Structure formats: C-alpha cells, structure tokens
Amino acid sequence: MRSKKTKFIFVTGGVVSSLGKGLASASIGALLENRGLDITLIKLDPYINVDPGTMSPFQHGEVFVTEDGGETDMDLGHYERFTHARMSRLNNFTSGRIYNAVITKERRGEYLGKTVQVIPHITDEIKASIRQAAQDVDVVIVEVGGTVGDIESLPFLEAIRQMRYDVGSQNAVYIHLTLLPYIGAAGEVKTKPTQHSVMKLREIGIQPDFLLCRTDREISRELKDKIAMFCNVDNGNVFTSPDVRSIYELPLELHRQGLDERLAEVLNIWSRAPHLEKWETIVRKIYEPARGEVTVAIVGKYVNLTESYKSLNESLLHGGIANDVRVKLRFVDSQDVEAQGPEKTLAGVDAVLVPGGFGVRGTEGKIAAVRYARENKLPFFGICLGLQMAVVEFSRTVLGLKGANSLEFDEHTAHPVVTLMESQVKVQDKGGTMRLGSYACALKPGSVAHKLYGQESIQERHRHRYEVNNAYRGRLQEAGLVISGHNPELNLVEMIELTDHPYFVGCQFHPEFKSKPFAPHPLFSGFIGAALAQRDATRGQAPVHS
C-alpha cells in the first residue's frame, strides 16, 4: 500500500525519434521537485534486449549504471542529473525484461493453465512494474520510448491507457511530445505531423491532455489554438519545447510557459511555487562564465557519437560550472593518436581525459595520450579503462616492463599488469555479469583524491571486468605510482595518482554517473580546476616531446 496518493504523468512521443522525451521528462521532474513534491521517473523501452548492457554504444548511446548495479537507458542519467531522485533497476523496463518475467512465471505454473496473452498478462506485468517503482512518491513520470505507431511499443501504450482507469482520471495525465517542422519553401510552420501523430495515439485509445511541441522558433497563440482545436486538447495545454543553447535551460523555459503550474492544476496537486534560483545560476555560469574557457581532449574510440559519452560530457560541463569556466571538448579518436602522434592530435589542449571503453581497437593511442600527458605535466584524468591504460603506460615506460598490457587486449603478455577479476574467469554470459553498481573505496589520507572528496571513505559506481593486477602493486608503488584509493573488502585498486605531477588521477569507477549541475562531482571539479591552472600557467609554451 502506498502512503501517498500517487499521481502519474505519462510521456509519449510522435512523428520522429530523438525529439527529447527524456529531457522533457527530466525537466518536468525538476520543476515538480522544486515545487516541494517527491518524484520519481520510469523509462519503458520497447526493444527486446533485457537491458542495454550488450548493445553497441554506436547504436544505443551510453549505458547508464544505477547504484544497485542496473545497466539502464541513458535517459536515467538525465533523470538523476536534473533531480534528486535516485534511480535503480526498477526505473527502466524493456520489452525483453517484461516478456522474460512473464515467461518465467508461465514456466513456474503461476498462470494456472491459462493461455498467456499480451492482454492481460503482458500489460498487467507492465502496470505492476510501474506500481513497484511508484512507492511513496507524489508524482511518477513515465516515459515511453520509441514513437507512436511503432509495433514494438503497443503493449506499453495499452498498459498506460489502462492505468488511467485503474488510478482515476484526476490521477493520470498524458503528455504527447511531437514535432512542428518549419518548411522553408512555404515559409511557415506545419501542424499536420502533430495532427497525424495525435490521431494515431487516439486510435490506440489515448487522448493526450497536453501537447509539447518541439520547434526551433516561437509559436504564435493563434497556431497553438489551431493545434488545440484539431487535436482536441484544451487551449491552455499546448506548450512548446524550443531549441535551447543548454539543456539546463529547458526547466526554466517550461516554467516560463507555465507547464508545471498547469500540471499541478490538472492533477489537483497542492504545491508551493518552485524555487528555481539554482537553475538560473547554472544557466548563467554556462552562458556567461567569469573565467573564460579551457579545452579538454577526450581520447576515446566512440568520439564520433557523443551520445556514447553523455554522462561524461555533462560531468565535464558540471566541472566548468564549479569553476565558473566554459569547458570546450575536443573529441580525439585514439586511432588518430596512433597514426599521427599525440604531439599533433593533442596540441593546444589544457587537459587530457581517457574514458572507459571495451575492445582492443585504439588502445595504443590511449596509452600514447597518457604518456604525453604524464611527461608534459598536462592535467590527466583516466576513468575505468583510462586508469588501466595509465597503469600499462607507467609499467612499460617507468618500470621498464616490455610488452606490459591488459589481459583483455593481449592474452599472452609477459606482464599482465591489468588482469581479469577472479570472479569473472568462468563467466560466459555477457549481460549483467560485470562488476556493477556501487562499491566502497577507502582513500589514502593526504592524497589528491582525499583532498577533493574531503572524506576518507566513498561509494562509487562500477562497470568493468578487469582490474589492476595485485601482483604488480608493490613494484608500481615503489616506482612512484600512488594507490590513493582501494576497495577494502575485495582489496582492489580503485584510484591512482602521481605526486610529481600537477594533476594525474585515475579511477576504476565511473564518477560521471553521480555528477549533477547543482552538485558537480569533486573529481571533475578538481580536473577542470587543474585545466584552468594549466591554461593560466603555460598557455603558449611549447610542450616537451616524448
């Protein structure tokens, strides 16, 4: 039993994908939270994969990891960055996960000989999953992935259609995000795609209460009234989701139009006026930073699709907010570093970051980037694989261990300084079997990491199979590599740094999953602070060539 009368906001999308349902949902969550309401968000994904963990970043974008080790859709990252809501594996359901649950129940005989069907069994499982994640909150925002009209999303749409009857019409509203394209040859904005999208939604049995129209320009009151009339929506319930320079401006824009006020009215929610001062400060620091600009090179293998590093990119922006400086990201393909050398590909940057990733392609370029940053005293930050590449580079160059490598990339290396976790040796299934979720990390007193966090024990999220080989730990430390963080339970390396360097930090975990614009992660704040110091101290000086 819920102790609160929970309200439900269902967000669907039409016409085309990538309109920004996730950001719209997150922005609505931010506005309602700032009105004093307890909120949570759920993403329903129509694909058959049980989770996105085994999907290519090129196709799906980033895999966001929750505190409890769920591998989830990247929109959950937006939800956490925009609100204080803590996501878990209960906040993301795919068709694969729903069907898997139903089939498992059928195999156990839980349906008592009945014919198992999409309605009611699949839709009931979807509704049960929504209710499970909706415990003890005032408002649940449920985003349905895909586009109305896709055959894959029909069970989800039918489930949310039924929920209005289950919870009562005053406790559920439907928001439909659609497209208003501007046709240059005609010189006008066209409403027909929106009309057809709503028509398709109504055929399914859902009449949207609100329309959120994606557009690149201001829309007149007359055009909104036309849309309202043809789509059978109240005049005051047509809003726009305009193009904004920063995604963090969207909550302010939607509030300016009165969307949160109207939602509270329709759902009969008593709430205070929102406190949006922190969002105004964030936007000011993004648009008008007091301390200029720094350039950070991200050396990776997915750089042609920035969605693959969404949380990372946003966390660097948060680090800029913390230092009141604009962060310019230069995406560098690690294969280009291999082919052209770091002197050319990294020239003129103020700091170097090597992010996580899987597979051998481009790893030698990452190692070369690490060496360039270490020898030229350029601020360096290595995350997950980036830490491992830093250990490999240090082992080869400083310890003189020829051919040192990770077992992930060279099974026959004479010096496996990065090795497969013992618990992973016999694992054959790829999905959901890595070291996932939150683990403890004890920080070395007096280290850079300890100073940045301001505490000796932290919790951070992981997603990896390989670890620094403990057999080499002593030799690495004797040569000057500081193990500044370790997991006390598993005795595994969590953080490294160098003392004879302005800023050289690596972490085995993914701090980008816990950073917010109004609470930047200390490792990103410190990294951008170091880049700023580097810019001020050395801009214009020629680097040392390794």
Side-chain angles (χ1 to χ4, degrees), residues 41-45 73 75-76 79 91-93 143-145:
L41 300 102
I42 301 171
K43 176 71 183 290
L44 303 177
D45 277 308
D73 185 81
D75 278 332
L76 272 73
Y79 303 163
N91 294 84
N92 188 200
F93 287 90
E143 176 194 348
V144 181

Side-chain angles (χ1 to χ4, degrees), residues 30-31 34 251-252 255-256 260 274-281:
L31 290 173
N34 278 279
L252 296 173
H255 172 68
R256 183 186 67 81
D260 53 321
H275 297 164
L276 299 175
E277 295 83 2
K278 68 181 181 182
W279 289 99
E280 293 167 353
T281 299

